[in-house]
Amino acid sequence: MLRIFKKDLKLYLKDKRAVLLTFLLPIILITLFSFAFGGIKTNNSKPNPIKMLISDLDRTKTTKQIISIFDSIAGIDVNLQEFDKAKIEVTKGKYVGVLVFYKGFEDSLHSGKGLPIELLYDRAQEMQIGLLQPVFMNVLGKFKAQESMNKNVTGFLNANFPKMDKGMSDRIIKNVDSKLEASNNASTDEGMQLKMSSLVGEEKDTNLFLIQAIAGVAIMMLLFSVSSLAAGMLDEKENGTLKRLLFSPIKPNTILFGKMLTALTISITQLTIMFVFTWLAFGLDISKNIPALILMILSTSFAVSGIGIFLASVSRTRAQAQGFGTLVILTMSAIGGSMIPLFVMPAIMQKIAVVSVNYWGIQGFYDIFWRNLPTSEIIPRVLVLVGMGTILSLISVRLFRRNVESLG
Amino acid sequence: MIQVEDISKSFGKIDALKNVSFNIKEGEIFGLLGPNGAGKTTSINILSTILKPDSGKVFIHGLDLAHNQDACKLLIGVVPQEISLYEILSAYENLHFWGSLYHIPPTELAAKINNVLELVGLYDRRNDAIKTYSGGMKRRINMASAILHNPKILLMDEPTVGIDPQSRNRIFEIIQELNQNGMTIIYTTHYMEEAERLCNTIAIIDNGHVIAKGSLDELKKISGTKDILKMKTSVLDEKNLLKLNESIHLNFSHNSTELNFECKNITAEISGLINNVLIAGVEIHGIETQNASLESVFLKLTGKHLRD
């Protein structure tokens, strides 16, 4: 098996163009996809205004005041919308999110309770939401601090100067207000919490589309790489070397698993290079959970290699290999989330996706980089991938045996 | 050395081999002669273990092939019909890979590779990629790859297809050298002259049947094929033919200006024939001899030419 592997690796490395394509093509595609999905942060580009909805269920003077402040902020395009309609519009991706002032907002502000306000957002617009959040917090924090200060000053004046005329006490409070405004105190949002909920998915702490780009593209490219196994096997068949291998004292399964070992090695190397490249070029923190990352790289490579030897075993002609290869790669990539992120797909497609290796691979990488799940939570996905690879290998052994018999 | 007992093999409705039997002695060059599709490659595939016969048995060096595949594989080297080499690897790299499959220790393998490269005359080109080789050179490396593990038996499936006469002669020389060193060789071909030149024993195979087997002389006897003496003559008339029938006791055929005599021994019989033809009043314009060949044996046995 090792000899087959060494020979195949030597053959692979001899073809410089193929080696270059194996690594260069996915790097180019990852870069392109990252740009396309907005996964790369650029300093020079002037952003378009962020389209935001506000749903005012409180309909008070305070909420209107806050909304007018939001509306005046450059770079934010604020639109008022009814709550239900706003949620639908955000879900459809027309707006990055909706800031909801629930009934009782003003009362809570006056009484110093937690504010009934929530930012419902589109997970796919994570970057814009990340920019909006501190702006909202700042404005709301100032309001809350001002309200608290007013309350304290009024209480103080009432307690110590009960006979002070109202005009004077109002002037004092206004003066305190303007000083508070001028100080632009950084601690205005202290204790202030803005509840944030994704309308479509989980929490995040890194760039979703960068993960989508690396995981989606890398697995699709792995499929392209291992599909060349089928072509390689056909080359061996056509030039007679497969027959010659069978003349020698090695078993047919050894040939097949030697090929799989080659595919596995190339896949592991390719995925590793992809992640290292994404780390160096785009700052993806690959050190977040290294054991889980290693497990995912190994299991994804194993499953993808299983597809490789399946294609090599099932194809009896070059046309079959091309046909099966294209079919498997495009179908798996399309339904599994390599081409289009799963969360923008309809629910039925998300259910179908589980049959593809891409789905389990991409979700596993999401678990590591997006959901920050511990290694123990990654294991089920790893097991599914290993199971897929094992089942495909077993089917391939049977198919290859039949394929080999036809050589005689 | 090799006993093939009553083997049959079918592919769907096609009977590739039907009750084929033959024995091959140690040190023989055994020719399997037949047209394309006769069953030669199927026989080689069965002997080389990659194909199982539907029925019958094969013994190699006393080992039942069906139950001793691994042991038999070590005794056998196979030179396939295709040039089964990795084109982008060098000759040395190819030989190293193929040799390594036979568990030859690395240092021993290196020495063996150099020896076979010397034998096939390509030592100086050992580091060149196979794709830069001529067809004849590739054939020689194809052969070298099969003998690295020093097999006792070499199966050669039409090893000279598509090469020039010079390369073919070089391959013949190598085969004869290997045979002189004790290697038993099974050689399939549809070239009569190759079988005649190389083989001690020949089996003629057609439509999956072994029609006849033996040395060339034995095959001539089996088929009853004789040497032919051809005479170009003046126009033959009935009178001439009547006299020839009376005086000559050999089978002969004729057309208006040609007589063909079937001779057991042309050298001994030629002067008497010339004398009788002249006595019969026939002028001789030319004489041509045609020795019995595998071609004529094959024609006689199968009723068709080998390349039909």
Side-chain angles (χ1 to χ4, degrees), chain A residues 328-390:
Chain A
V328 168
I329 294 167
L330 293 185
T331 308
M332 286 221 174
S333 300
I335 67 169
S338 277
M339 292 177 173
I340 307 160
L342 265 184
F343 52 78
V344 299
M345 287 190 194
I348 182 75
M349 288 303 291
Q350 293 184 26
K351 283 180 183 166
I352 294 170
V354 298
V355 301
S356 82
V357 167
N358 302 52
Y359 169 81
W360 295 99
I362 292 169
Q363 292 307 310
F365 291 121
Y366 273 177
D367 286 349
I368 297 169
F369 297 110
W370 178 250
R371 297 172 191 122
N372 295 321
L373 296 181
T375 307
S376 59
E377 295 291 326
I378 313 290
I379 298 291
R381 297 204 193 280
V382 169
L383 291 177
V384 171
L385 287 165
V386 170
M388 281 179 158
T390 307

Side-chain angles (χ1 to χ4, degrees), chain A residues 90 96-97 119-123 126 129 196-199 202:
Chain A
V90 172
V96 298
L119 179 58
L120 302 173
Y121 66 99
D122 179 358
R123 195 168 57 115
E126 202 74 52
I129 289 294
M196 290 181 69
S197 307
S198 164
L199 281 175
E202 300 92 334

Side-chain angles (χ1 to χ4, degrees), chain A residues 239-260:
Chain A
N239 65 26
T241 46
L242 180 59
K243 208 168 165 183
R244 180 164 241 162
L245 285 169
L246 295 168
F247 292 146
S248 73
I250 58 171
K251 306 277 184 222
N253 289 349
T254 311
I255 299 170
L256 195 64
F257 288 123
K259 297 270 175 203
M260 190 178 182

